[in-house]
């Protein structure tokens, strides 16, 4: 008897817990300030509004007042937000790009950014964003450029990028990412990958030669025994492979 009580209680706790998780990733958006009183051009811009307001709420410093105009339904006129006709329906404008480069903003990336399902470009280089890359980024099925460089991101390699089907440009340089780099990265159809100036550690990935990238920069990590020999070639011809300061080894392979 007591045992089944506990079970019911546990089930209740679990289901409310799950509910809270669902709420916190913005599936239920009625808790976002004012969204129900605004009129949006289309549902996609309404979702973008929710994402942008959630993001603004976790921006703790914005010295150039970059996000001051992030208010109201006209999200396409917010600083750093770029709209374009939707690929699915060209009569609808959607948020196709975010560019906050050099804004010196401090804050983090909330899970609601997964609502930007039309996003092609996400550039936040040279800010003070910290924390990790939300798992909800897996919903950015059109993202082809991700530039998180020169921020304060931490934690393991953001594996969520491996699930982005059209990603071509990945720039994680000058952060505090650590640990190993997934081997799968070098099987992805990427054009350019910048991982330099982090705390990554790894040996020579066996499949490095499979990578179709034309630029791969790995310098200034703790990369043991990495491609010093000069005989590492990438499929499409390696343009630059800097290996300076990788655990003491200097040299550029080609
Ligand atoms: C940003 O806004 C604050 C408060 O309105 C103002 O004091 C400050 O000078 C503004 N900064 C810039 C760079 O415009
Ligand atoms: C495209 O969007 C417009 C405006 O929102 C809408 O009226 C139209 O029905 C949509 N077309 C399709 C094929 O979904
Ligand atoms: C690696 O670090 C050194 C020393 O801080 C710096 O001069 C160099 O530009 C860095 N290399 C890259 C590719 O960022």
């Amino acid at each position: 008897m007591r045992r089944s009580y506990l079970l019911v209680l546990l089930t209740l706790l679990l289901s409310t817990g799950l509910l809270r998780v669902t709420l916190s990733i913005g599936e239920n958006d009625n808790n976002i300030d004012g969204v129900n009183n605004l009129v949006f051009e289309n549902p996609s811009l309404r979702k973008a509004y929710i994402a942008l307001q959630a993001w603004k709420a976790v921006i703790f410093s914005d010295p150039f007042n970059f996000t001051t105009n992030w208010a109201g339904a006209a999200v396409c006129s917010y600083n750093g937000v770029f709209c374009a006709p939707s690929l699915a329906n060209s009569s609808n404008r959607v948020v196709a790009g975010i560019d906050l480069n050099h804004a010196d903003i401090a804050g983090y990336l909330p899970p609601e950014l997964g609502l930007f399902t039309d996003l092609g470009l996400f550039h936040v280089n040279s800010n003070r964003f910290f924390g990790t890359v939300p798992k909800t980024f897996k919903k950015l099925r059109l993202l082809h450029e991700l530039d998180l460089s020169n921020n304060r991101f931490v934690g393991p390699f953001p594996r969520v990028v491996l699930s982005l089907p059209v990603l071509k440009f990945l720039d994680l340089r000058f952060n505090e990412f650590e640990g190993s780099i997934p081997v799968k990265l070098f099987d992805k159809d990427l054009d350019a990958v910048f991982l330099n100036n982090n705390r990554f550690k790894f040996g020579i990935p066996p499949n490095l030669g499979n990578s179709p990238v034309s630029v791969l920069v790995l310098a200034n990590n703790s990369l043991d025994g990495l491609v010093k020999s000069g005989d590492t070639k990438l499929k499409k011809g390696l343009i630059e492979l800097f290996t300076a300061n990788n655990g003491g080894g200097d040299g550029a392979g080609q």
Side-chain angles (χ1 to χ4, degrees):
M1 202 54 180
R2 190 161 285 182
R3 190 171 261 195
S4 60
Y5 246 152
L6 273 176
L7 217 77
V8 169
L9 191 67
L10 193 67
T11 315
L12 267 175
L13 281 176
L14 272 176
S15 53
T16 49
L18 287 178
L19 192 67
R20 199 164 308 133
V21 170
T22 318
L23 286 177
S24 72
I25 65 166
E27 297 298 346
N28 181 330
D29 45 44
N30 294 321
N31 52 348
I32 293 283
D33 215 20
V35 68
N36 294 324
N37 304 325
L38 294 171
V39 178
F40 295 91
E41 282 174 39
N42 60 60
S44 177
L45 290 182
R46 183 177 190 275
K47 284 198 295 174
Y49 172 86
I50 292 162
L52 288 159
Q53 295 310 317
W55 199 4
K56 191 176 177 179
V58 295
I59 283 175
F60 306 114
S61 170
D62 178 7
F64 302 121
N65 296 329
F66 216 82
T67 60
T68 304
N69 78 349
W70 287 17
V75 296
C76 295
S77 59
Y78 289 12
N79 286 337
V81 176
F82 298 89
C83 291
S86 159
L87 295 178
N89 181 345
S90 61
S91 46
N92 286 339
R93 283 199 302 170
V94 295
V95 174
I98 295 286
D99 186 347
L100 297 181
N101 284 352
H102 301 281
D104 198 25
I105 287 170
Y108 64 89
L109 307 183
E112 286 85 351
L113 298 188
L115 292 168
F116 284 130
T117 48
D118 300 289
L119 210 59
L121 309 167
F122 188 83
H123 291 180
V124 295
N125 111 45
S126 304
N127 284 280
R128 291 172 288 152
F129 286 111
F130 55 84
T132 57
V133 181
K135 293 205 167 57
T136 54
F137 265 50
K138 69 173 183 291
K139 296 181 186 165
L140 311 185
R141 310 309 287 171
L142 302 178
L143 194 67
H144 59 269
E145 289 189 13
L146 179 61
D147 182 355
L148 304 179
S149 62
N150 200 20
N151 278 284
R152 295 169 184 178
F153 291 106
V154 297
F157 182 92
R159 297 189 70 94
V160 66
V161 305
L162 300 175
S163 67
L164 300 176
V166 295
L167 191 69
K168 291 290 177 192
F169 177 93
L170 176 64
D171 193 345
L172 303 181
R173 73 189 120 167
F174 293 95
N175 277 289
E176 307 250 330
F177 290 112
E178 62 190 307
S180 61
I181 296 176
V183 164
K184 235 184 112 188
L185 181 69
F186 300 105
D187 292 328
K188 268 189 85 63
D189 188 15
L190 292 160
D191 285 338
V193 178
F194 298 88
L195 302 177
N196 50 297
N197 301 79
N198 278 283
R199 299 174 178 215
F200 289 123
K201 276 194 166 75
F202 66 99
I204 299 172
N207 60 343
L208 187 62
N210 293 349
S211 179
V213 292
S214 46
V215 180
L216 172 63
V217 184
L218 298 168
N220 297 336
N221 283 287
S222 306
L223 311 178
D224 296 327
L226 186 98
V227 285
K228 291 173 200 161
S229 56
D231 60 2
T232 302
K233 287 195 170 55
L234 299 181
K235 229 188 221 162
K236 283 190 186 164
L238 175 61
I239 306 290
E240 284 174 313
L241 178 58
F242 302 102
T243 59
N245 295 343
N246 286 333
D250 266 278
Q254 235 226 342

